[in-house]
């Protein structure tokens, strides 16, 4: 079917010739379809995870094949890396909104793949508090996502679970994200390859933005410990044991929410970042998109969350889950993260590795289509945002080598 010629772009919609702008007042609702089966195969994620957990629970070591269960508390008690308070002269230190900050391990060390502060092989992207179904946040734990790059892309993505119980001495451990699969007759897994540009941790569910496809979901109650004595390039079952590129812990993907295009003429929605909004009733999940340049428009879309399960809700006919709100934000380009607090959107915008990023704000008006406006500066190379209402701050992380910090800003 040939695409219709395009005459204008309004509100993120591509309009065919003869269409009136009034027909595109705002972006159309979006549907997601939950998927538990891997694309192109008969693998069912929950079934594979169940088999792996059964092996981990076995009383016989020869049946565990190096697997063990791992809880969040287990990992927090087994951190192997240390951050430290950011140096006083770091580029973001003088920013007026800065509340707290720390830097990743390795600032004063040789640059290796294991040096989190300097390595070019991994870059941090997403950040999230741990949100509870009651609307609170855990003040002692953060999660940060990283994606592999610079020739290491086959390692996929990982998360850092950060213990902030002592703010002066943050500790953390990386956990590899994996996708369950069946290989031959073996239940196994492989690295989950995605950009992980934004994350949202709600109850025991970790939502991760998957740029074109939609959202991936990981259940933090299903983490596993694996063997660490294998080669650095082995992930999954190998010579009688399960390995994960020498990571000690893995977090398997439990499901996905796939994008369903609303029509044939709308520009593809990007799933660049994701955040939890606990100021709505019910709580909701907010997805934002990255587009260039700064002055362009981008869209944010929202789905309701079920506080009892953490899932998107409600599911309609055919398993489709329809968005409850979708907005077009003028001057919403370069957005690396977005949160919504009581109807006001806070947008994290980047300007390259050597210029301060910004936070802009936008609120929907009944009549006027106003653009997002500058609110304050933040560090260079800012990425995702997470809102901690308990502390009254926004958390963010910046990505570039030798300038990698996690920081909070007074809201």
């Amino acid at each position: 079917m040939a695409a219709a010629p395009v005459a204008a772009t309004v509100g993120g919609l591509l309009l065919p010739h003869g269409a009136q702008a009034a027909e595109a007042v705002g972006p159309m609702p979006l549907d997601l379809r939950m998927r538990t089966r891997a694309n192109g195969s008969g693998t069912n994620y929950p079934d594979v995870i169940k088999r792996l957990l059964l092996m981990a629970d076995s009383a016989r070591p020869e049946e565990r094949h190096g697997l063990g269960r791992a809880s969040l508390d287990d990992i927090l008690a087994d951190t192997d890396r240390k951050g430290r308070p950011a140096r006083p002269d770091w580029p973001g230190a003088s920013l007026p909104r800065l509340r707290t900050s720390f830097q990743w391990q390795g600032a004063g060390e040789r640059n290796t793949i294991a040096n989190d502060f300097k390595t070019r092989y991994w870059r941090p992207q997403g950040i999230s508090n741990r949100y509870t179904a009651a609307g609170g946040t855990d003040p002692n734990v953060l999660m940060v996502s990283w994606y592999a790059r610079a020739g290491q892309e086959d390692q996929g993505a990982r998360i850092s679970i950060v213990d902030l119980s002592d703010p002066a001495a943050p500790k953390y451990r990386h956990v590899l994200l994996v996708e369950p699969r069946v290989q031959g007759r073996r239940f196994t897994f492989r690295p989950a390859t995605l950009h992980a540009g934004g994350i949202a941790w709600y109850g025991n569910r970790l939502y991760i933005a998957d740029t074109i496809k939609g959202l991936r979901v990981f259940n933090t109650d299903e983490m596993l410990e694996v063997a660490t004595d294998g080669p650095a390039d082995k992930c999954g079952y190998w010579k009688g044991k399960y390995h994960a590129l020498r990571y000690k812990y893995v977090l398997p993907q439990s499901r996905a929410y796939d994008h369903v295009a609303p029509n044939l003429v709308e520009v593809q929605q990007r799933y660049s970042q994701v955040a939890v909004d606990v100021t709505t009733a019910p709580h909701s999940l907010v997805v934002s998109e990255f587009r260039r340049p700064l002055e362009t428009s981008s869209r944010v879309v929202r789905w309701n969350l079920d506080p009892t399960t953490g899932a998107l809700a409600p599911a309609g006919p055919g398993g489709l889950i329809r968005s409850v709100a979708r907005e077009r934000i003028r001057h919403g380009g370069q957005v690396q993260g977005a949160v919504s607090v009581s109807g006001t959107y806070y947008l994290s915008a980047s300007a390259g590795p050597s210029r301060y990023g910004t936070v802009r704000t936008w609120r929907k008006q009944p009549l006027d289509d106003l653009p997002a406006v500058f609110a304050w500066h933040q560090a260079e190379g800012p990425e995702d945002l997470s809102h901690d209402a308990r502390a009254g701050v926004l958390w963010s992380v910046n990505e570039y080598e030798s300038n990698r910090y996690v920081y909070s800003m007074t809201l």
Side-chain angles (χ1 to χ4, degrees), residues 92-373:
S94 61
L95 296 175
R97 293 272 184 160
L98 184 71
R99 175 79 67 85
T100 60
S101 58
F102 71 86
Q103 62 193 47
W104 299 102
Q105 177 174 295
E109 302 173 6
R110 185 170 59 91
N111 188 2
T112 68
I113 193 170
N115 186 327
D116 297 327
F117 190 75
K118 297 179 180 179
T119 180
R120 66 187 181 93
Y121 297 108
W122 290 90
R123 276 190 177 171
Q125 294 289 290
I127 187 167
S128 184
N129 299 104
R130 185 188 185 192
Y131 295 91
T132 68
T137 52
D138 185 336
N140 296 323
V141 186
L142 283 175
M143 193 178 286
V144 175
S145 64
W146 305 63
Y147 74 98
R149 59 186 297 275
Q152 303 293 320
E153 289 84 356
D154 59 352
Q155 294 199 16
R158 68 188 185 191
I159 57 166
S160 300
I161 297 177
V162 184
D163 180 356
L164 284 179
S165 55
D166 181 358
K171 302 177 292 183
Y172 63 99
R173 180 181 275 277
H174 299 314
V175 175
L176 191 69
L177 298 175
V178 296
E179 183 179 6
R181 62 189 299 222
V182 176
Q183 188 172 22
R185 299 178 64 183
R186 177 70 60 182
F187 294 92
T188 184
F189 50 78
R190 61 187 170 195
T193 54
L194 72 167
H195 186 66
I199 63 175
W201 188 9
Y202 185 71
N204 62 1
R205 298 202 184 201
L206 177 65
Y207 289 86
I208 302 186
D210 192 353
T211 312
I212 299 299
K213 295 180 180 179
L215 298 167
R216 299 201 202 185
V217 189
F218 299 76
N219 189 327
T220 55
D221 289 340
E222 296 174 343
M223 291 187 285
L224 289 163
E225 181 178 348
V226 296
T228 57
D229 56 356
D233 63 344
K234 298 300 181 183
C235 185
Y237 186 81
W238 183 77
K239 290 191 174 181
K241 292 182 180 180
Y242 287 90
H243 304 266
L245 310 178
R246 290 186 179 161
Y247 286 82
K248 188 175 181 180
Y249 300 101
V250 298
L251 176 54
Q253 179 178 330
S254 60
R255 56 186 50 81
Y257 288 100
D258 289 345
H259 172 84
V260 179
N263 55 49
L264 296 177
V265 296
E266 183 174 355
V267 175
Q268 166 76 50
Q269 171 82 36
R270 293 182 183 177
Y271 295 73
S272 302
Q273 306 97 27
V274 59
V276 174
D277 186 351
V278 293
T279 65
T280 58
H283 300 157
S284 53
L285 197 74
V286 176
V287 169
S288 50
E289 64 179 354
F290 177 87
R291 291 192 179 277
R292 291 189 176 99
L294 183 69
E295 296 79 12
T296 195
S297 295
S298 64
R299 294 156 298 181
V300 293
V301 57
R302 183 188 299 268
W303 286 270
N304 284 337
L305 287 163
D306 182 340
T308 61
T309 64
L312 300 185
L320 295 180
I321 303 168
R322 176 147 293 183
S323 63
V324 294
R326 194 162 177 235
E327 313 291 353
R328 178 182 62 88
I329 300 179
R330 290 174 53 210
H331 289 196
Q334 301 292 121
V335 170
Q336 302 281 6
V339 298
S340 174
V341 182
S342 300
T344 296
Y345 288 90
Y346 295 85
L347 312 174
S348 173
S350 60
S354 58
R355 297 174 60 191
Y356 283 126
T358 58
V359 173
R360 285 173 289 149
T361 60
W362 181 85
R363 190 177 183 92
K364 185 177 182 179
Q365 302 296 323
L367 299 176
D368 298 323
D369 181 21
L370 298 177
V373 296

Side-chain angles (χ1 to χ4, degrees), residues 19-94:
Q20 299 297 315
E23 295 174 3
V25 174
M28 297 179 66
L30 279 188
D31 289 330
L32 291 173
R33 179 179 284 112
M34 191 177 77
R35 170 172 57 85
T36 59
R37 196 176 293 272
N39 286 332
S41 78
T43 301
N44 185 288
Y45 295 141
D47 287 347
V48 177
I49 293 171
K50 181 180 179 180
R51 293 298 186 103
L52 295 172
L53 291 173
L54 285 172
M55 281 187 271
D57 289 337
S58 175
R60 302 175 62 184
E62 65 272 18
E63 293 179 349
R64 292 199 294 268
H65 301 289
L67 290 175
R69 280 189 182 253
S71 68
L72 178 63
D73 287 340
D74 291 334
I75 293 174
L76 290 171
D78 191 28
T79 56
D80 62 343
R81 302 193 178 213
K82 296 179 180 180
R84 66 185 187 189
R87 65 180 193 270
D89 62 341
W90 82 279
S94 61

